[in-house]
Amino acid sequence: MSSPESGSYDATEAAPHGKPRATEWPLWEVFIRGQHGLSHRHVGSLHAADAESAIKNARDVYTRRNEGVSIWVVEAAAIAASSPEEKGPLYEPSNDKVYRHPTFFDIPDDVGAM
Amino acid sequence: MYAQMIKSTGKGVKSLDEMDPEERAFQERINAGGKIEPKDWMPDGYRKTLIRQIGQHAHSEIVGQLPEGNWITRAPTLERKAILLAKVQDEAGHGLYLYCAAETLGVSRDQLTRDLLSGKMKYSSIFNYPTLTWADMGAVGWLVDGAAIMNQVPLQRTSYGPYARAMVRICKEESFHQRQGFDIMMKMANGNEAQRKMAQDALNRFWYPSLMMFGPSDKESVHSAQSMAWKIKMNTNDELRQKFVDQTAPQAAYLGLTIPDEHLEWNEERGSYDFSEPDWEEFFDVLQGNGPCSVDRMEARNKAWDDGRWVREGLLAHAEKKRARKMAAE
Ligand SMILES: [Fe+2]
Ligand SMILES: [Fe+2]
Ligand SMILES: [Fe+2]
């Protein structure tokens, strides 16, 4: 199983006949939305046989103290992620676009709050 | 600590000049307080040491449920039972967070479990001691979780992102653990003569094993020096042990209990307590698997794994069947 955070490893066992079979439940990434209207946030991961039990397990582990009112689970293998090598080309172009920030503009005090 | 005697590369710490550009960039990022994330380049030794350390920490959380689980059915009141149950459930969660963090380094959960069950990987020495009376539930929360907190709080700043994030979650829950333990100790210490004796006896038995949790002095250890350079170890064992004693001695006095150390004394000059070292021979012996409960603990974990096999396989087979059915319907 491979995820944006994990490397790939061998989660199978050689079966006496035929092809090796999976022995480990797949990995799910868990996202939770708290009560205060913010977006779902990644809180961690867990193993479960299917989505239904992943949600139940997430409820048991990640919402023990009123942390949330909504749970998303995504099979880790289904997530596509940017790679660290691309960090430069992906994010650096925004560095010289200072005009994207409101502080770039000098608005006279007389104009009032803006 | 929950991770004791973790070996790193076995070599001394390289200077920046001795490193190739990749490793140098990695180390400079750590020096500047940056985080290393799973897909970033990292030296092999860093990865391997972290797998050992996080894995051992995770195993400790899981095996650590056994000495307390021992008292869930015998808690004195329904309220105490609910509290203890919640505490032990938290520990299962701590194990899970940590296994997940270790998995980001490319080891599988099943592999880590197999290595625990075969005895290849260790867990903290502290969980090889028995919990004989209800007061032990107090002593464990107060002292054992208290010692764990000493080490886990600084680890929230560790260089490996997933490990640091797991620690943040764990630390939020630990203060509940220590407080419920101290609350039990207060009740017992202020109870009748038999209860007070039980509380003192629990402190007597858990004091030195708690000091051992930090591991022997590692001032001269190359492993520790490397781990500290990598910021996967934040303090020396002696520093943390001293901090623990300084925090705990006044709490014992508050309870009216006596720490079983005739050399425990406030040292005005150092601004710290002087205290006796635990018996390190006992520590190494326990770590070798010769603790009073070592065999029981491993048997319990092996039995849980074997007995759970049909559940793991059954649910997997059921999930596969459902998936196949859904595919056929589409
Ligand atoms: Fe814990
Ligand atoms: Fe613990
Ligand atoms: Fe705890």
Side-chain angles (χ1 to χ4, degrees), chain B residues 11-30:
Chain B
K11 296 178 209 118
V13 180
K14 275 192 231 169
S15 72
L16 286 175
D17 293 330
E18 290 169 285
M19 295 176 184
D20 60 39
E22 237 171 3
E23 185 170 0
R24 193 187 164 124
F26 165 88
Q27 187 62 51
E28 279 172 341
R29 189 142 131 228
I30 290 177

Side-chain angles (χ1 to χ4, degrees), chain B residues 125-126 129 204-213 278 282:
Chain B
S125 56
I126 189 72
Y129 291 86
N204 291 349
R205 282 180 292 108
F206 276 96
W207 176 251
Y208 287 107
S210 298
L211 294 187
M212 288 178 202
M213 287 176 69
E282 177 183 321

Side-chain angles (χ1 to χ4, degrees), chain A residues 1-111:
Chain A
M1 193 55 48
S2 163
S3 84
E5 298 228 310
S6 72
S8 55
Y9 51 72
D10 198 13
T12 56
E13 182 182 82
H17 311 288
K19 59 181 169 86
R21 61 203 172 93
T23 54
E24 199 169 81
W25 293 346
L27 187 68
W28 301 78
E29 300 295 336
V30 180
F31 301 81
I32 291 187
R33 173 156 52 75
Q35 351 239 356
H36 307 295
L38 296 175
S39 312
H40 284 77
R41 205 167 70 97
H42 182 242
V43 293
S45 51
L46 49 78
H47 288 271
D50 56 22
E52 216 182 308
S53 51
I55 289 178
K56 282 191 188 129
N57 291 354
R59 196 278 315 258
D60 288 348
V61 186
Y62 290 109
T63 63
R64 287 170 57 68
R65 292 175 174 85
N66 283 326
E67 287 92 339
V69 291
S70 166
I71 299 174
W72 286 352
V73 294
V74 184
E75 205 172 329
I79 295 180
S82 64
S83 78
E85 295 89 69
E86 295 167 328
K87 217 189 261 172
L90 279 184
Y91 310 113
E92 265 158 32
S94 72
N95 284 350
D96 54 10
K97 297 179 178 58
V98 283
Y99 46 81
R100 288 176 177 177
H101 297 274
T103 45
F104 177 76
F105 305 93
D106 275 328
I107 306 291
D109 287 348
D110 304 342
V111 179

Side-chain angles (χ1 to χ4, degrees), chain B residues 2 61 91 94 174:
Chain B
Y2 278 14
E61 302 284 354
E91 303 298 4
H94 296 180
E174 285 296 356

Side-chain angles (χ1 to χ4, degrees), chain B residues 1-6 124-126 143-152 154 206-218 224 233 235-248 275 277-278 280 283:
Chain B
M1 198 26 56
Y2 278 14
Q4 295 159 326
M5 312 286 296
I6 300 296
S124 177
S125 56
I126 189 72
L143 301 173
V144 176
D145 288 89
I149 291 170
M150 284 287 145
N151 160 268
Q152 289 171 343
F206 276 96
W207 176 251
Y208 287 107
S210 298
L211 294 187
M212 288 178 202
M213 287 176 69
F214 299 95
S217 182
D218 58 352
S224 292
K233 183 179 171 77
N235 309 83
T236 67
N237 295 349
D238 289 329
E239 276 166 22
L240 291 174
R241 186 171 15 251
Q242 181 70 62
K243 228 177 139 189
F244 174 73
V245 173
D246 290 347
Q247 179 189 286
T248 310
F275 60 95
E277 293 271 313
W280 292 115
F283 169 78

